[in-house]
Amino acid sequence: MAERCPLVSRALISRTLGTAAAAAMMLAATACSPMVSIENADVPQWRATALPSDSQAVLQDSGKILNRNRIVQSAVSVPAGDYTLTITCDGGGKAFFVVTLAGEELTEAGAACNGSRETAKIAVPKAGRMEISASSVDAPLLYAYHLVPAR
């Protein structure tokens, strides 16, 4: 498991550490914490603060992208109108979201996976089956999105 304190490892290799320096390094080592892995992350807990669910969402999802495969969610019939897609991700890199209606691409949006939220305005010209796919070449990462009627 990756550690957040690489200097601790380098300092321990040195043979010239005195007792005081060794004690200081041990204190520093206890302050270091292992990085949380995406594979072991609690998605519902992360989503609760990253992008809480919206009761008006016509399509929403969250999860882990562990490889380069697209993750697709669909809604059978989304009414025509204006919508806002809000997306977020964590873990480094970037995630991409493609929105299609009846097989036709409406938009593509991306988000930097640093916990920020991005939005995209989407005009849905007619009712139909909508799909939103999430993908990334920077896997693994956490993602969440929801599509709500424009307010």
Side-chain angles (χ1 to χ4, degrees), residues 7-60:
L7 294 177
V8 173
S9 300
R10 281 188 236 135
L12 291 176
I13 294 172
S14 172
R15 294 178 189 221
T16 61
L17 287 178
T19 306
M25 294 310 297
M26 291 307 290
L27 284 172
T30 60
C32 295
S33 61
M35 293 172 59
V36 176
S37 71
I38 297 299
E39 292 85 357
N40 297 324
D42 182 335
V43 175
Q45 182 180 9
W46 170 78
R47 182 183 176 129
T49 56
L51 186 65
S53 295
D54 188 313
S55 62
Q56 293 186 356
V58 295
L59 195 52
Q60 60 186 341

Side-chain angles (χ1 to χ4, degrees), residues 44-142:
Q45 182 180 9
W46 170 78
R47 182 183 176 129
T49 56
L51 186 65
S53 295
D54 188 313
S55 62
Q56 293 186 356
V58 295
L59 195 52
Q60 60 186 341
D61 191 28
S62 62
K64 301 172 188 177
I65 297 176
L66 300 175
N67 52 41
R68 293 182 175 197
N69 296 335
R70 294 180 327 131
I71 298 171
V72 180
Q73 287 292 327
S74 61
V76 176
S77 183
V78 173
D82 294 325
Y83 292 86
T84 301
L85 176 67
T86 304
I87 56 180
T88 189
C89 58
D90 252 331
K94 193 166 185 176
F96 299 95
F97 302 84
V98 177
V99 181
T100 61
L101 180 70
E104 303 274 332
E105 185 175 314
L106 293 179
T107 194
E108 182 178 333
C113 296
N114 58 12
S116 63
R117 291 182 189 173
E118 302 291 334
T119 60
K121 303 293 183 194
I122 301 171
V124 176
K126 60 183 179 184
R129 179 182 178 83
M130 180 176 284
E131 290 185 344
I132 298 179
S133 69
S135 64
S136 178
V137 296
D138 301 310
L141 56 86
L142 300 172

